[in-house]
Amino acid sequence: MAAQGTDPLTVEVVELIGSVVARYHDEYERAAAEHSLTGAQARVLGLLSMEALPMRRIARTMKCEPSNITGIVDRLEVRGLVERRPDPGDRRVKLAAATDEGRDLARRLRTSLDFAREPLAELTAAERALLRDLLRRMLGDPEA
């Protein structure tokens, strides 16, 4: 019997996940470039379009140094896509928040990612829900 993780099915699943991630990443980078953004800028803008966040939390989410996020937010702010504001709960903390223009651009970016949507459209609603639940479980999501 093959060791856990080296059986042919597991190897194939890992390869397929890698292919999906690579294709998604490539399309995301292309979509971002069409709006004169880097992929990292587009990801930060996407996060901030959902809620205003402290810079350190953005850095943790993006798995990078806070100084990198400062530069990204600076460039988004110059374009009028993001603004900094004091955290109402702790005025020493600055939140980064998408502007109306930033939220609109983030929405357009999300809707332009056909690669993610088109293959999912081939699945039934039940299959999409099962895939979501399995991915959450793989990521250790307590809602899984």
Side-chain angles (χ1 to χ4, degrees), residues 26-39 42 79 109:
D26 289 346
E27 182 166 329
Y28 201 88
E29 292 290 326
R30 273 195 303 280
E34 288 176 15
H35 298 282
S36 301
L37 296 171
T38 65
R79 291 190 51 189
L109 270 166

Side-chain angles (χ1 to χ4, degrees), residues 6 23 26 41 73-74 76 79 84 87 96 101 107 110 113 122 125 129-130 141-143:
T6 60
R23 285 181 59 190
D26 289 346
Q41 289 171 337
V73 169
D74 286 347
L76 292 171
R79 291 190 51 189
R84 287 178 170 94
D87 183 338
E101 183 181 350
R107 182 193 51 74
R110 276 191 295 274
L113 295 173
E122 298 295 319
L130 176 60
D141 186 330
E143 291 183 32

Side-chain angles (χ1 to χ4, degrees), residues 91-105:
R91 300 195 57 80
R92 296 170 296 173
V93 174
K94 289 285 188 193
L95 299 177
T99 62
D100 289 341
E101 183 181 350
R103 281 188 293 280
D104 181 59
L105 180 54

Side-chain angles (χ1 to χ4, degrees), residues 26-141:
D26 289 346
E27 182 166 329
Y28 201 88
E29 292 290 326
R30 273 195 303 280
E34 288 176 15
H35 298 282
S36 301
L37 296 171
T38 65
Q41 289 171 337
R43 285 187 289 282
V44 168
L45 184 59
L47 283 172
L48 297 177
S49 72
M50 303 298 183
E51 64 177 319
L53 295 169
M55 306 286 263
R56 289 196 181 279
R57 185 157 158 216
I58 299 167
R60 276 194 311 271
T61 301
M62 298 279 296
K63 295 179 179 24
C64 68
E65 293 296 317
S67 60
N68 292 344
I69 297 304
T70 299
I72 291 169
V73 169
D74 286 347
R75 288 184 288 283
L76 292 171
E77 192 172 34
V78 165
R79 291 190 51 189
L81 302 173
V82 166
E83 64 185 8
R84 287 178 170 94
R85 57 173 85 136
D87 183 338
D90 183 349
R91 300 195 57 80
R92 296 170 296 173
V93 174
K94 289 285 188 193
L95 299 177
T99 62
D100 289 341
E101 183 181 350
R103 281 188 293 280
D104 181 59
L105 180 54
R107 182 193 51 74
R108 286 184 287 150
L109 270 166
R110 276 191 295 274
T111 60
S112 72
L113 295 173
D114 293 331
F115 162 71
R117 254 186 321 287
E118 287 175 8
L120 288 173
E122 298 295 319
L123 302 177
T124 66
E127 289 169 330
R128 287 192 306 274
L130 176 60
L131 178 59
R132 178 205 58 211
D133 294 346
L134 290 170
L135 290 169
R136 283 181 173 171
R137 192 163 125 204
M138 287 174 63
L139 295 171
D141 186 330

